Coordinates of all heavy atoms in Angstrom, one line a residue:
Y71 N -16.4 12.8 149.6 CA -17.6 12.1 149.2 C -17.2 11.1 148.1 O -16.6 11.6 147.1 CB -18.7 13.0 148.8 CG -20.0 12.3 148.6 CD1 -20.7 11.7 149.6 CD2 -20.5 12.2 147.3 CE1 -21.9 11.1 149.4 CE2 -21.7 11.6 147.1 CZ -22.4 11.0 148.1 OH -23.6 10.3 147.9
P72 N -17.6 9.9 148.2 CA -17.2 8.9 147.2 C -18.0 9.0 145.9 O -19.1 8.4 145.9 CB -17.5 7.6 148.0 CG -18.6 7.9 148.9 CD -18.4 9.3 149.3
R73 N -17.6 9.7 145.0 CA -18.2 9.7 143.7 C -17.1 9.2 142.7 O -16.1 9.9 142.5 CB -18.7 11.1 143.3 CG -19.9 11.5 144.0 CD -21.1 10.7 143.5 NE -22.3 11.1 144.2 CZ -23.4 10.4 144.2 NH1 -23.5 9.3 143.6 NH2 -24.5 10.8 144.8
H74 N -17.4 8.1 142.0 CA -16.5 7.6 141.0 C -17.2 7.4 139.7 O -18.4 7.1 139.7 CB -15.8 6.3 141.5 CG -15.0 6.5 142.7 ND1 -13.7 7.0 142.6 CD2 -15.2 6.2 144.0 CE1 -13.2 7.1 143.8 NE2 -14.1 6.6 144.7
G75 N -16.5 7.4 138.6 CA -17.1 7.1 137.3 C -17.5 5.7 137.2 O -17.0 4.8 137.9
R76 N -18.5 5.4 136.4 CA -19.0 4.1 136.2 C -18.4 3.5 135.0 O -18.2 4.1 133.9 CB -20.5 4.1 136.0 CG -21.2 4.5 137.3 CD -22.7 4.5 137.0 NE -23.4 5.1 138.2 CZ -24.7 5.3 138.3 NH1 -25.4 5.1 137.2 NH2 -25.2 5.8 139.3
K77 N -18.0 2.2 135.1 CA -17.4 1.5 134.0 C -18.1 0.1 133.9 O -18.5 -0.4 135.0 CB -15.9 1.4 134.1 CG -15.2 2.7 134.1 CD -13.8 2.6 134.3 CE -13.1 4.0 134.3 NZ -11.7 4.0 134.7
L78 N -18.0 -0.5 132.8 CA -18.6 -1.8 132.6 C -17.9 -2.8 133.5 O -18.5 -3.7 134.1 CB -18.6 -2.3 131.2 CG -19.2 -3.6 130.9 CD1 -20.6 -3.6 131.2 CD2 -19.0 -4.0 129.4
W79 N -16.6 -2.6 133.7 CA -15.8 -3.5 134.5 C -16.2 -3.6 135.9 O -16.1 -4.6 136.6 CB -14.3 -3.1 134.4 CG -13.4 -3.9 135.3 CD1 -12.8 -3.4 136.4 CD2 -13.0 -5.3 135.2 NE1 -12.0 -4.4 137.0 CE2 -12.2 -5.6 136.2 CE3 -13.4 -6.3 134.3 CZ2 -11.7 -6.8 136.4 CZ3 -12.8 -7.5 134.5 CH2 -12.0 -7.8 135.5
H80 N -16.8 -2.5 136.4 CA -17.3 -2.4 137.8 C -18.4 -3.4 138.1 O -18.7 -3.7 139.3 CB -17.8 -1.0 138.2 CG -16.6 0.0 138.3 ND1 -16.8 1.3 138.3 CD2 -15.3 -0.2 138.3 CE1 -15.7 1.9 138.4 NE2 -14.7 1.0 138.4
L81 N -19.0 -4.0 137.1 CA -20.0 -5.0 137.4 C -19.4 -6.3 137.9 O -20.0 -7.0 138.7 CB -20.8 -5.4 136.1 CG -21.7 -4.3 135.5 CD1 -22.3 -4.8 134.2 CD2 -22.9 -4.1 136.5
F82 N -18.1 -6.4 137.7 CA -17.4 -7.6 138.1 C -16.4 -7.4 139.2 O -16.2 -8.2 140.1 CB -16.6 -8.3 136.9 CG -17.5 -8.5 135.7 CD1 -17.5 -7.7 134.6 CD2 -18.5 -9.6 135.8 CE1 -18.4 -7.9 133.6 CE2 -19.3 -9.8 134.7 CZ -19.3 -9.0 133.6
H83 N -15.8 -6.2 139.2 CA -14.7 -5.9 140.2 C -14.7 -4.4 140.4 O -14.4 -3.6 139.5 CB -13.4 -6.4 139.8 CG -12.3 -6.1 140.8 ND1 -12.2 -6.8 142.0 CD2 -11.3 -5.2 140.8 CE1 -11.2 -6.3 142.6 NE2 -10.6 -5.4 141.9
N84 N -15.0 -3.9 141.6 CA -15.1 -2.5 141.9 C -14.6 -2.2 143.3 O -15.3 -1.6 144.1 CB -16.4 -1.9 141.6 CG -17.5 -2.5 142.5 OD1 -17.3 -3.5 143.2 ND2 -18.7 -1.9 142.4
A85 N -13.4 -2.6 143.6 CA -12.9 -2.5 145.0 C -12.8 -1.0 145.4 O -13.1 -0.7 146.6 CB -11.5 -3.1 145.1
R86 N -12.4 -0.1 144.6 CA -12.3 1.3 144.9 C -13.6 1.9 145.2 O -13.8 2.6 146.2 CB -11.6 2.1 143.8 CG -10.1 2.2 143.9 CD -9.5 3.2 142.9 NE -10.4 4.4 142.7 CZ -10.6 5.0 141.5 NH1 -10.0 4.5 140.5 NH2 -11.3 6.0 141.4
V87 N -14.6 1.5 144.5 CA -16.0 2.0 144.7 C -16.5 1.5 146.0 O -17.2 2.2 146.8 CB -16.9 1.7 143.5 CG1 -18.3 2.1 143.7 CG2 -16.4 2.4 142.2
N88 N -16.3 0.2 146.2 CA -16.8 -0.4 147.5 C -16.1 0.2 148.7 O -16.8 0.4 149.7 CB -16.5 -1.9 147.5 CG -17.4 -2.7 146.6 OD1 -18.5 -2.2 146.2 ND2 -17.1 -3.9 146.2
L89 N -14.8 0.5 148.6 CA -14.2 1.2 149.7 C -14.7 2.6 149.9 O -15.0 3.0 151.1 CB -12.7 1.3 149.4 CG -11.8 2.0 150.5 CD1 -11.9 1.2 151.8 CD2 -10.4 2.1 150.1
A90 N -15.0 3.3 148.8 CA -15.6 4.6 149.0 C -17.0 4.6 149.6 O -17.4 5.4 150.4 CB -15.6 5.3 147.6
L91 N -17.8 3.6 149.2 CA -19.1 3.4 149.8 C -19.0 3.0 151.3 O -19.8 3.5 152.1 CB -19.9 2.4 149.0 CG -20.4 2.8 147.6 CD1 -21.0 1.7 146.9 CD2 -21.3 4.0 147.7
N92 N -18.0 2.3 151.6 CA -17.8 1.9 153.0 C -17.5 3.2 153.8 O -17.9 3.3 154.9 CB -16.6 0.9 153.1 CG -16.4 0.5 154.5 OD1 -16.2 1.3 155.4 ND2 -16.3 -0.8 154.7
H93 N -16.7 4.1 153.2 CA -16.4 5.4 153.9 C -17.6 6.2 154.1 O -17.8 6.7 155.2 CB -15.4 6.2 153.1 CG -14.0 5.6 153.1 ND1 -13.1 5.8 152.1 CD2 -13.3 4.9 154.1 CE1 -12.0 5.2 152.4 NE2 -12.1 4.7 153.6
Q94 N -18.5 6.2 153.1 CA -19.8 7.0 153.3 C -20.6 6.3 154.4 O -21.3 6.9 155.1 CB -20.5 7.2 152.0 CG -21.7 8.0 152.1 CD -21.5 9.4 152.7 OE1 -20.5 10.0 152.4 NE2 -22.4 9.9 153.5
N95 N -20.6 5.0 154.4 CA -21.4 4.2 155.4 C -20.9 4.6 156.8 O -21.6 4.7 157.7 CB -21.2 2.7 155.1 CG -22.2 1.9 155.9 OD1 -23.3 2.4 156.2 ND2 -21.9 0.7 156.1
L96 N -19.5 4.7 156.9 CA -19.0 5.2 158.2 C -19.5 6.5 158.6 O -19.9 6.8 159.8 CB -17.5 5.3 158.1 CG -16.7 4.0 158.3 CD1 -15.2 4.3 158.1 CD2 -16.9 3.4 159.7
V97 N -19.6 7.4 157.7 CA -20.2 8.8 158.0 C -21.6 8.6 158.4 O -22.1 9.3 159.4 CB -20.0 9.7 156.8 CG1 -20.8 11.0 157.0 CG2 -18.6 10.0 156.5
D98 N -22.4 7.8 157.8 CA -23.8 7.6 158.2 C -23.9 7.0 159.6 O -24.7 7.4 160.4 CB -24.5 6.6 157.2 CG -24.7 7.3 155.8 OD1 -24.7 8.5 155.7 OD2 -24.8 6.5 154.8

Side-chain angles (χ1 to χ4, degrees):
Y71 187 66
R73 287 288 182 196
H74 296 284
R76 296 180 184 172
K77 297 180 182 170
L78 183 60
W79 174 250
H80 288 166
L81 289 174
F82 306 104
H83 181 71
N84 60 354
R86 269 190 38 220
V87 174
N88 285 341
L89 180 63
L91 290 174
N92 183 307
H93 287 151
Q94 184 57 40
N95 194 25
L96 277 175
V97 171
D98 292 339

